[in-house]
């Protein structure tokens, strides 16, 4: 029997560096699958349909909810975001580990629906540094930065239900920490037993 893939969920306050960390992780681990979400927000410059997101209309998004096509979905800053369930399940069934990069409400849904999912929360080394990163990225207005900083404090206060907490101070350390989590989860007895039984002489 082949091993089923593991579902990894990464969340972090906006500006912490989750996209940066996950991009680096995927570059080092092409065997990991990345779940492409659907969203009703407009594409930002450089974002590609089907690579960064599936950009859909609010009507199409509602239809996907009605047809039960989402593993989870949530509202975030006046747009909707959701994880299409079918590609994730197909990948896991084929033995591929998958990563979802989603906000905390959706992550909690995944935890309820898939209790074996592994939840990783990334935190910035300090709120000052978070604000520096948000400003440095240059993609938010002053008002949005203030709203995201406020949201960050609430999010950090709620990270208790996550399985792992990783501090994104030095990027390479944070990537190595997430890599270590993936490796440790792959070595867990319930995941590796069948392989060992089948492979040992
Ligand atoms: P998120 O996806 O969590 O919103 P990003 O990945 O867009 O965050 O990162 C926010 C900003 O912080 C980007 O400009 C990115 O280059 C920078 N950044 C990410 N990780 C680090 C780090 N470890 N040290 C310094 N800057 C970082
Ligand atoms: P952004 O608009 O900056 O790309 O994403 C905003 C927030 O939505 C981020 O925290 C991102 O991780 C989250 N997000 C992206 N896709 C999904 C999804 O499918 N479901 C949920 N719940 N959140 C998502």
């Amino acid at each position: 029997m082949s091993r089923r893939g593991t579902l990894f969920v990464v969340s972090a306050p906006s500006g912490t560096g989750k996209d940066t960390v996950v991009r680096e992780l995927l570059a080092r681990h092409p065997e990991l699958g990345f779940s492409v979400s659907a969203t009703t927000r407009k594409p930002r410059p450089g974002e590609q349909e089907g690579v960064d997101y599936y950009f859909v209309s609010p009507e199409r998004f509602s239809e996907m909810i009605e047809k039960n096509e989402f593993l989870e979905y949530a509202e975030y800053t006046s747009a909707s975001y959701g994880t299409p369930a079918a590609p994730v399940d197909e990948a896991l069934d084929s033995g591929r580990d998958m990563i979802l990069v989603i906000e905390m409400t959706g992550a909690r849904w995944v935890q309820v629906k898939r209790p074996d999912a592994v939840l990783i929360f990334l935190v910035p080394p300090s709120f000052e540094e978070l604000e520096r990163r948000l400003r440095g990225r240059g993609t938010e207005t002053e008002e949005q930065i203030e709203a995201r900083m406020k949201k960050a404090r609430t999010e950090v206060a709620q990270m208790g239900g996550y399985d792992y907490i990783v501090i994104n101070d030095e990027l390479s350390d944070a990537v190595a920490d997430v890599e270590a989590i993936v490796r440790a989860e792959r070595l867990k007895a319930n995941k590796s037993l069948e392989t060992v039984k089948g492979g040992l002489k």
Side-chain angles (χ1 to χ4, degrees), residues 13-20 129 133 137 168-171:
S14 176
T16 301
K18 57 189 176 306
D19 286 343
T20 308
E129 173 63 13
R133 286 182 193 173
R137 189 167 67 179
N168 182 21
D169 190 352
E170 277 300 318
L171 180 62

Side-chain angles (χ1 to χ4, degrees), residues 44 63 67 79 112-113 115 122 144 150 159 162 192:
R44 293 185 190 132
E63 187 185 299
K67 290 187 173 164
V112 171
K113 288 170 88 173
L122 272 182
Q144 284 169 331
K150 199 169 160 208
M159 65 186 172
Y162 279 68
S192 52

Side-chain angles (χ1 to χ4, degrees), residues 3-12 18-19 21-22 25-26 29-37 71-72 83-84 87-89 91-93 95-103 106-111 114-122 161-166 174-188 190-192:
R3 155 194 182 280
R4 192 174 153 79
T6 301
L7 184 57
F8 293 94
V9 177
V10 177
S11 308
K18 57 189 176 306
D19 286 343
V21 169
V22 169
L25 182 76
L26 294 174
H29 291 272
E31 81 283 6
L32 282 168
F34 176 75
S35 160
V36 179
S37 297
L71 170 58
E72 63 72 38
T83 305
V88 172
D89 284 329
L92 294 175
D93 286 345
R96 189 168 200 200
D97 295 336
M98 289 296 289
I99 296 211
L100 314 185
V101 181
I102 62 177
E103 52 69 62
R108 270 190 226 104
W109 273 111
V110 176
Q111 203 168 33
R114 305 290 164 88
D116 56 349
V118 177
L119 271 67
I120 305 169
F121 195 77
L122 272 182
Y162 279 68
D163 298 302
Y164 294 94
I165 311 284
V166 171
V175 175
D177 284 348
V178 179
E179 243 181 331
I181 294 166
V182 171
R183 190 164 161 73
E185 289 294 331
R186 285 176 177 168
L187 291 170
K188 273 195 170 163
N190 64 343
K191 287 280 174 183
S192 52

Side-chain angles (χ1 to χ4, degrees), residues 56-65 67 69-70:
V56 301
S57 64
E59 293 72 29
R60 173 67 188 129
F61 199 91
S62 302
E63 187 185 299
M64 290 175 83
I65 295 174
K67 290 187 173 164
E69 289 178 25
F70 287 125

